Structures are given as structure tokens and as C-alpha cells.
Amino acid sequence: MNRIVVVAALGQLVGLLGWIDPLFIALALAAPLITGGIASARRIPLVLVSVLWFSAGINMLWTDWVVNREDVLFHLALSVLMPVLAGSGYGLVALVTRRRARIVN
């Protein structure tokens, strides 16, 4: 449980990077895929990666709502999409490593 709380807090910090416009697209689309793949390779539980990206999306949602009062539905959808992308990266690496292990054995 402590790990999930720490990862959720880290997600709040990662979400603040969304305010840096040149980083936003890479942060929202590429970073979840990459971190999901790295987590799979290092055998980090998928739930931790999903919580990280959901928390980052929620941070983007509430900070944009407080500052601009707009894009709430966009950030809500992004809060769901980023964990899905992280899960896709996680699953892809898990699938490739499983197949590679079968070929070697």
C-alpha cells in the first residue's frame, strides 16, 4: 500500500511536467508506453505504472481546471488513456520476452 501512495505522489509531480508545452505530447503519449515497457522488463507490477500515469492525468485535470477552467474532459480522457498506453507497453515487452524465452528453451 505504501508503494502505491508513493507512486501516486510521484504521478502528481510528473503531471506538472504537462505544463511544459514542448513536453506535453511526448509526456502524454510516448512516456507511458516507454515506462510500461521498462517496468515489464524490470518486473515491476503493472498496477504501480498504471497508478503513476492515472495520477499524472488527474494532476493535469485539476491543475488545468484551477488555472484555466477548461479542458476537463480532455484531461479526464487522458487520465484513462495514459494507463492504457502504459499497459500496452508493458504487455508488448512481456509478450516479446515470453516468446524469446520459448525460442531459447
Side-chain angles (χ1 to χ4, degrees):
M1 186 63 166
N2 288 336
R3 289 169 53 178
I4 290 178
V5 171
V6 169
V7 168
L10 182 60
Q12 291 297 301
L13 295 174
V14 169
L16 294 174
L17 293 173
W19 283 96
I20 303 171
D21 284 337
L23 293 179
F24 183 75
I25 298 298
L27 180 72
L29 299 177
L33 282 167
I34 293 167
T35 55
I38 291 170
S40 178
R42 293 184 177 218
R43 292 189 168 89
I44 296 171
L46 177 58
V47 67
L48 295 178
V49 180
S50 297
V51 166
L52 171 82
W53 288 109
F54 181 74
S55 178
I58 293 298
N59 175 275
M60 291 176 199
L61 182 146
W62 76 262
T63 55
D64 202 26
W65 181 77
V66 166
V67 172
N68 299 322
R69 299 230 184 249
E70 62 185 18
D71 296 333
V72 173
L73 289 177
F74 170 75
H75 290 298
L76 186 60
L78 199 59
S79 297
V80 173
L81 177 66
M82 289 190 302
V84 168
L85 289 172
S88 299
Y90 193 95
L92 182 64
V93 170
L95 180 67
V96 168
T97 11
R98 194 175 326 135
R99 284 191 179 170
R100 188 176 300 155
R102 271 194 243 150
I103 291 172
V104 171
N105 292 333

